[in-house]
Amino acid sequence: MDSVNDYEADTAFLGDWGPFQRRLSLLVCITLIPNGYGSLVVVFLADTPAHRCLVPAHGPNLTDEWRNASIPLEEDGRPTECSRYRLDTLRVYSEAGVLPSDVNLTAVPREGCLDGWEYDRSVYASTIVSEWDLVCAQQWKKPLTTSVYYCGYLVGSFLSGQLSDRFGRKIVLFVTLGGQTLFAFIQVFSHSWMAFCVLYFLGGMSHISNYLSAYVLGAEIATPRVREFFTTAGSCLFFALGYMLLPLHAYFLRDWRMLLLGITTPGFLLLTLWWFIPESPRWLLSQGRIAEAEAILKDAAKMNKIEAPEKIFTPLQNKCGFEKMKAYNICDMLRYSNIRWMSVALWFVWNTIAIGYLALSLNTSNLHGGAYFNCFLSGAVEIPAYFITWLMFRRCPRRLTMAGSLFASGFFLLVIQLVPAGLHWLAVTLEMIGKFTLTVAFSHIYAYSAELYPTVLRNTAMGACSMACRIGSVSAPYIIYLRTYSLSLPYILMGVLITMAALLSLLLPESYGMPLPESIAQMQPGCCRKVVYKRTHTKEDETARKSMDVQ
């Protein structure tokens, strides 16, 4: 890692926060805004309006009284959504002059919605649910639609890092930014649910690839002091800004096609930032492209009104100059005992946080009150959460911060079950507090995980954690789907899982104030140290154990 330290020293002449760093950080963060509304637009695209079976106006010969009575009522007085009384039976009563009040309707046979459904248009002019009748026997397609999108996230998480390392951060950033914009634009013209899902999958791949490329580019260009803020709060704040802009778009664009078009158009304008965002000099240096890296840094110095050295890097600081280390892969995360338990624990924590965060975000349309305000509130609570994460990351132990935020989130979600039915405002408040504390944990886990893993395995490990996170994202829509069986079930399940993750996080090593580990042997021991090292079999394990014993 000497070459990495040399890079920091050789570029220190730029300063921490000059005009170049400010402009570049702002532009990179702006490219993250579409991820905020693109990732959660399904809240409005796939919301289910109130609906009931359609009774054809020019169908069976029914009087107005029998037409109005053709839909059975639930116990709370709402029309049944998936069945109606058999129209041929009602026609016999109608032609005989019998009134609905004279008949025991509970004894009248029922049938499905053979002629389709009619939807309440007071909130939405159209959603994909009303467009393709994703209700009743087809309602399983609604959570599947969201899961397909996050399956794209899973594939994109796997591919984006390799593409970014191979072709560069900048080109992957803008190719995927253009891809997510183009796929969303084509979705506007989808004429089938299947075509919509295929494009949604491709859009999910582009969204996460764009986010990760921008995140890495911003982190690599920032100085260590600024990088801490960028990785824990800066990039997340602009994601939250996009999240808060989503309900504003949706409020004025009530048709799902127009909503997609409205949030897609700005993406084309962002492509013009190609001429203002440079490639990562770190990546160029790792590829041996020293002249290009120096040219970018000299332009930065000119913008900062600083005189750059004539020669910034030595010829040996190319990709061969970086310390050569043994190549590791994802299997090594389970092979060595001093990293195995930590990886499994982190995967569970990442997966659980993703389930809770996305499930609470998708649930905003089901909360009492307006869907638009609830969605805005859900995004707004993330703003202070990111600032608090940054402050705690600078001052507080990682393990206790993670466990405390998860315990708080699990507690508030479980307490929701105790709220009386009439106190809707209290239930919404508790859910938002749970979302707030879970957002703190979500923002915290990225930087915390990077500190726990050694340099020789850090990129691979972060990719594995991200994939575990995406598995949770794929599962989250089905957690909300459990509302169809019990309104309390999603909260109970999320509360229990998050509380378990909090307990498990207490077993993770502490990294606050510790130097970043460079090798597996330098990793910090966790609370289960004796159990971890009891079964060492390899020479690498024995070396790691001895190193920990010395510490």
Side-chain angles (χ1 to χ4, degrees):
M1 289 300 292
D2 290 341
S3 57
V4 176
N5 294 330
D6 288 343
Y7 178 89
E8 301 289 359
D10 290 340
T11 58
F13 67 89
L14 286 176
D16 275 336
W17 196 234
F20 171 77
Q21 291 95 333
R22 289 197 295 269
R23 189 189 76 166
L24 186 59
S25 297
L26 177 62
L27 294 181
V28 170
C29 287
I30 286 175
T31 66
L32 297 175
I33 294 178
N35 288 276
Y37 49 69
S39 299
L40 295 163
V41 69
V42 71
V43 170
F44 300 103
L45 291 183
D47 198 9
T48 304
H51 56 279
R52 65 179 194 174
C53 291
L54 176 66
V55 178
H58 304 288
N61 184 22
L62 297 177
T63 62
D64 291 338
E65 291 85 354
W66 277 109
R67 189 175 297 278
N68 293 334
S70 60
I71 306 298
L73 299 179
E74 301 286 359
E75 293 181 0
D76 58 4
R78 293 183 298 109
T80 300
E81 297 177 339
C82 299
S83 65
R84 66 186 184 187
Y85 295 120
R86 291 190 57 167
L87 298 187
D88 54 352
T89 302
L90 300 187
R91 185 177 64 239
V92 173
Y93 287 131
S94 178
E95 291 175 349
V98 179
L99 297 176
S101 57
D102 299 329
V103 177
N104 180 14
L105 293 177
T106 58
V108 177
R110 301 186 184 187
E111 61 186 3
C113 300
L114 305 181
D115 298 295
W117 290 261
E118 56 179 324
Y119 296 91
D120 179 14
R121 307 288 179 177
S122 61
V123 179
Y124 304 105
S126 173
T127 68
I128 64 169
V129 173
S130 62
E131 178 91 8
W132 294 305
D133 291 330
L134 308 184
V135 293
C136 300
Q138 300 294 314
Q139 65 180 344
W140 59 271
K141 292 182 177 179
K142 176 183 172 179
L144 180 60
T145 303
T146 308
S147 292
V148 164
Y149 176 77
Y150 286 101
C151 283
Y153 260 50
L154 180 63
V155 175
S157 297
F158 177 74
L159 295 178
S160 61
Q162 300 176 63
L163 294 175
S164 182
D165 287 341
R166 174 66 179 86
F167 299 105
R169 287 48 166 136
K170 177 180 176 178
I171 189 169
V172 173
L173 167 63
F174 282 96
V175 167
T176 54
L177 180 61
Q180 71 182 31
T181 304
L182 180 62
F183 293 135
F185 180 78
I186 299 176
Q187 271 185 299
V188 173
F189 306 99
S190 300
H191 290 290
S192 71
W193 174 75
M194 185 64 71
F196 181 91
C197 286
V198 170
L199 292 168
Y200 212 28
F201 174 84
L202 296 175
M205 287 180 58
S206 300
H207 269 259
I208 189 59
S209 300
N210 161 248
Y211 184 88
L212 292 177
S213 299
Y215 187 89
V216 172
L217 178 60
E220 288 184 343
I221 291 180
T223 58
R225 189 164 64 90
V226 176
R227 188 182 306 126
E228 187 178 78
F229 176 77
F230 177 84
T231 55
T232 57
S235 58
C236 300
L237 288 173
F238 280 78
F239 176 91
L241 177 61
Y243 190 173
M244 293 167 64
L245 289 174
L246 171 62
L248 182 64
H249 282 82
Y251 182 80
F252 292 103
L253 301 172
R254 302 295 182 98
D255 178 84
W256 74 266
R257 296 181 190 272
M258 292 298 100
L259 175 58
L260 266 184
L261 191 62
I263 66 175
T264 296
T265 305
F268 291 110
L269 299 177
L270 294 179
L271 296 177
T272 60
L273 297 180
W274 170 273
W275 288 275
F276 301 96
I277 297 178
E279 181 55 87
S280 166
R282 285 178 182 267
W283 180 81
L284 291 171
L285 188 62
S286 72
Q287 301 297 304
R289 295 158 63 175
I290 298 177
E292 295 176 58
E294 289 185 336
I296 292 172
L297 294 173
K298 288 179 179 179
D299 288 341
K302 186 182 299 183
M303 186 178 299
N304 287 354
K305 298 181 180 179
I306 297 172
E307 185 175 351
E310 184 65 26
K311 195 67 177 175
I312 301 176
F313 303 114
T314 64
L316 293 178
Q317 275 183 298
N318 53 29
K319 63 180 178 180
C320 297
F322 282 76
E323 181 182 352
K324 291 187 177 181
M325 296 176 262
K326 175 185 174 182
Y328 290 87
N329 55 49
I330 194 171
C331 295
D332 293 306
M333 298 176 67
L334 299 175
R335 180 177 300 132
Y336 300 114
S337 58
N338 63 324
I339 200 171
R340 182 188 306 124
W341 74 268
M342 189 186 77
S343 297
V344 173
L346 278 174
W347 290 342
F348 180 81
V349 174
W350 275 73
N351 183 72
T352 301
I353 292 176
I355 288 175
Y357 174 84
L358 185 59
L360 292 176
S361 298
L362 296 176
N363 192 48
T364 53
S365 61
N366 297 320
L367 298 178
H368 184 77
Y372 304 103
F373 176 75
N374 288 335
C375 183
F376 175 83
L377 188 60
S378 182
V381 298
E382 296 192 8
I383 299 294
Y386 294 133
F387 277 111
I388 288 176
T389 301
W390 171 57
L391 293 174
M392 289 194 302
F393 205 79
R394 296 180 64 191
R395 304 291 183 185
C396 302
R398 314 298 193 232
R399 183 168 54 196
L400 294 181
T401 301
M402 176 63 61
S405 57
L406 288 173
F407 267 124
S409 180
F411 170 77
F412 286 114
L413 292 180
L414 290 173
V415 167
I416 291 176
Q417 320 313 313
L418 306 178
V419 176
L423 296 179
H424 300 294
W425 63 271
L426 181 56
V428 173
T429 300
L430 291 174
E431 180 160 341
M432 291 304 161
I433 296 175
K435 171 75 180 299
F436 170 85
T437 51
L438 193 60
T439 301
V440 171
F442 210 164
S443 180
H444 192 84
I445 191 68
Y446 274 87
Y448 182 28
S449 298
E451 289 183 344
L452 291 177
Y453 283 107
T455 299
V456 295
L457 197 59
R458 188 170 294 124
N459 283 345
T460 299
M462 291 300 291
C465 289
S466 181
M467 290 177 65
C469 178
R470 305 313 158 197
I471 294 173
S473 300
V474 172
S475 308
Y478 293 96
I479 300 294
I480 299 303
Y481 186 68
L482 295 175
R483 288 176 54 91
T484 58
Y485 302 100
S486 170
L487 294 179
S488 301
L489 194 55
Y491 296 110
I492 294 174
L493 183 57
M494 286 188 290
V496 170
L497 286 174
I498 292 172
T499 303
M500 291 172 59
L503 292 171
L504 197 58
S505 66
L506 290 173
L507 303 179
L508 294 172
E510 181 54 70
S511 62
Y512 178 64
M514 304 289 185
L516 289 179
E518 306 297 347
S519 64
I520 292 178
Q522 295 177 1
M523 292 176 58
Q524 299 296 329
C527 293
C528 296
R529 173 178 169 179
K530 292 183 179 179
V531 176
V532 171
Y533 295 115
K534 186 168 63 175
R535 298 182 179 178
T536 56
H537 301 290
T538 67
K539 183 178 180 180
E540 182 97 14
D541 277 345
E542 184 65 23
T543 302
R545 184 189 64 78
K546 290 179 180 179
S547 175
M548 293 302 182
D549 287 340
V550 171
Q551 294 176 10

